[in-house]
Amino acid sequence: MVITVPTQARRHSGPRPINLNKDIPQVLRLLELVFGASVDVDGRQLLTGSASLGQQPAFIWRLNPAASRLALGYVWEIDGRIIGNATVLTTETAGRYLVVNVAVHPDYRRQGIARRLMQLIADLVRSQNGREILLQVVKENVAARNLYRSLDYTIIGNMTAWYTASSRLRSIEPANNGSGSGPHIRELRPQEWRAAYRLDQASLHPDLNWPKMLPSDAYRTGFWRALANFFNGRKIETWVTTNTNNQLVGLGSILSEWGRSHQAIIRIHPVWYGQLERPLLAKLIRRLYYLPRRNVRIDHPDNDEVMNKLLAEANFQPRRTLTHMRLDINKTS
Ligand SMILES: CC(C)(COP(=O)(O)OP(=O)(O)OC[C@H]1O[C@@H](n2cnc3c(N)ncnc32)[C@H](O)[C@@H]1OP(=O)(O)O)[C@@H](O)C(=O)NCCC(=O)NCCS
């Protein structure tokens, strides 16, 4: 007598492209397990509803802009269970791709899963004629940094996010010598928007702007922009200082939007490093006293000792430092 036993269809194990229709709930659970509280804002929005994920039809997820951020990339599946993920994001700049949400379940680490997922992503980007892949990693995350270094990613720089509440800001002297006055600081003039962009580019590596590169008209003002800002509850003020030839050499800017921290930046031309940070920060702090009371955030390269001291003096606290890394696709095979 021959007994036949129905065979179960073999379930896929290994890497495969993410399938937005069926993988989202599992990928979100993996990201929640791996990143927990440190998941980014979009991720948190998604995770908030994760309890009901299984019941939601796929087309609802497809409408969710945060879910669509997971649409391109690879997962690692073992017997129907997703235990690894890496997501690619396209950007507005041709050839420039970002990698986010690199995560492997703790029970499956050190088996080469993340490395393989990252290699597949590099192949995908290469097949799309991509030029570079960028990513951010918490500076202290040795495992991930080793992983990326072993795949030929190089470090562009480290950016520290500094925070304080407006109410806790301490004013600082504009001049080091205690004379009370520093260089002349004035508002950026409308016709200087190109010069301001050039100064920004000279002062900060363009790829340290995340996730978007700085648009070339970032400092442009004018009626339509003012109108759009008004309707978006956004206000931007930019203060500059010039050399004797009236060229911009230092710039400080505050972006204020409803419901968000004030975001300040300081950019100094390399020739003037160390000389203009204090007066510009002093100016921004004076301006912040007039703006609505909120948190204030400044992102700045972590190796700038002058700024680090000044920010501490003004009562900012460093919250976290992110290492920005880059893979030049043309240099890898
Ligand atoms: C980082 C992470 C994705 C690595 O996943 P993984 O599948 O274990 O990594 P791999 O097995 O492919 O390791 C590849 C290389 O990365 C490095 N690496 C991985 N884990 C490491 C660790 N714990 N310590 C030091 N180096 C490590 C090693 O160079 C390793 O090569 P080796 O095993 O030949 O020495 C995983 O630890 C993880 O999910 N961490 C939490 C989430 C996270 O930090 N994601 C990155 C966000 S930017």
Side-chain angles (χ1 to χ4, degrees):
M1 188 173 71
V2 178
I3 301 172
T4 52
V5 180
T7 49
Q8 272 197 323
R10 268 182 72 113
R11 303 182 85 170
H12 175 270
S13 284
R16 63 164 172 79
I18 188 168
N19 178 342
L20 203 57
N21 288 330
K22 64 177 187 115
D23 294 337
I24 291 280
Q26 279 208 61
V27 169
L28 288 177
R29 275 196 289 275
L30 175 69
L31 296 182
E32 188 170 32
L33 173 83
V34 169
F35 293 111
S38 64
V39 81
D40 69 11
V41 177
D42 284 347
R44 262 201 306 279
Q45 281 169 3
L46 278 168
L47 294 175
T48 315
S50 61
S52 59
L53 286 181
Q55 290 95 52
Q56 296 224 3
F59 76 90
I60 302 239
W61 283 108
R62 285 190 170 281
L63 295 176
N64 185 327
S68 68
R69 277 169 50 95
L70 297 169
L72 194 60
Y74 290 90
V75 294
W76 195 287
E77 189 180 36
I78 294 183
D79 294 332
R81 185 167 164 233
I82 290 176
I83 53 90
N85 179 75
T87 304
V88 197
L89 303 177
T90 53
T91 69
E92 289 162 12
T93 311
R96 185 179 193 255
Y97 291 78
L98 311 179
V99 171
V100 294
N101 300 331
V102 180
V104 172
H105 189 288
D107 294 346
Y108 296 89
R109 289 187 185 160
R110 282 325 266 274
Q111 298 176 29
I113 290 178
R115 174 177 286 140
R116 185 72 196 118
L117 291 172
M118 293 297 292
Q119 285 166 341
L120 286 168
I121 281 184
D123 292 345
L124 175 74
V125 170
R126 195 172 292 114
S127 73
Q128 307 285 315
N129 293 324
R131 189 171 36 85
E132 60 175 359
I133 304 178
L134 301 169
L135 56 81
Q136 288 180 318
V137 49
V138 173
K139 193 178 175 189
E140 295 76 24
N141 188 343
V142 177
R145 284 174 61 127
N146 284 353
L147 163 71
Y148 303 136
R149 254 205 313 258
S150 75
L151 290 164
D152 294 331
Y153 281 75
T154 53
I155 294 177
I156 304 166
N158 299 302
M159 292 293 281
T160 301
W162 295 78
Y163 280 87
T164 191
S166 304
S167 54
R168 301 189 62 220
L169 256 181
R170 269 199 300 259
S171 55
I172 61 170
E173 287 294 327
N176 250 335
N177 56 17
S179 67
S181 68
H184 176 61
I185 292 175
R186 59 165 172 81
E187 265 196 279
L188 179 75
R189 297 180 183 133
Q191 68 274 20
E192 290 175 323
W193 61 273
R194 283 194 192 85
Y197 173 72
R198 280 196 300 273
L199 171 60
D200 199 310
Q201 297 275 295
S203 148
L204 187 78
H205 192 296
D207 278 334
L208 289 176
N209 289 292
W210 177 278
K212 288 184 189 170
M213 291 183 88
L214 189 73
S216 56
D217 64 351
Y219 291 98
R220 197 170 191 166
T221 51
F223 176 75
W224 294 110
R225 181 143 308 185
L227 195 68
N229 285 345
F230 176 79
F231 282 113
N232 290 318
R234 192 187 303 138
K235 191 170 172 294
I236 303 169
E237 51 181 89
T238 304
W239 299 87
V240 294
T241 181
T242 56
N243 62 12
T244 45
N245 296 328
N246 215 21
Q247 291 162 327
L248 301 191
V249 288
L251 172 159
S253 185
I254 306 171
L255 163 68
S256 304
E257 277 179 296
W258 282 114
R260 300 190 62 178
S261 306
H262 296 297
Q263 287 189 55
I265 56 162
I266 294 211
R267 302 283 185 258
I268 312 286
H269 191 281
V271 172
W272 289 78
Y273 277 161
Q275 300 174 60
L276 302 172
E277 291 82 352
R278 176 175 279 279
L280 281 165
L281 183 61
K283 177 72 186 179
L284 294 189
I285 292 172
R286 283 201 301 281
R287 292 297 309 154
L288 282 162
Y289 286 137
Y290 291 100
L291 296 174
R293 295 278 149 135
R294 293 192 202 139
N295 283 340
V296 186
R297 170 179 178 159
I298 293 195
D299 285 11
H300 203 80
D302 83 328
N303 60 353
D304 186 341
E305 289 305 327
V306 175
M307 272 298 280
N308 290 350
K309 280 204 190 94
L310 287 170
L311 288 167
E313 188 182 330
N315 210 19
F316 280 85
Q317 266 92 44
R319 189 168 289 175
R320 69 173 183 181
T321 299
L322 292 173
T323 301
H324 292 239
M325 301 183 83
R326 173 177 188 273
L327 181 70
D328 184 340
I329 289 290
N330 297 325
K331 285 200 186 143
T332 57
S333 52

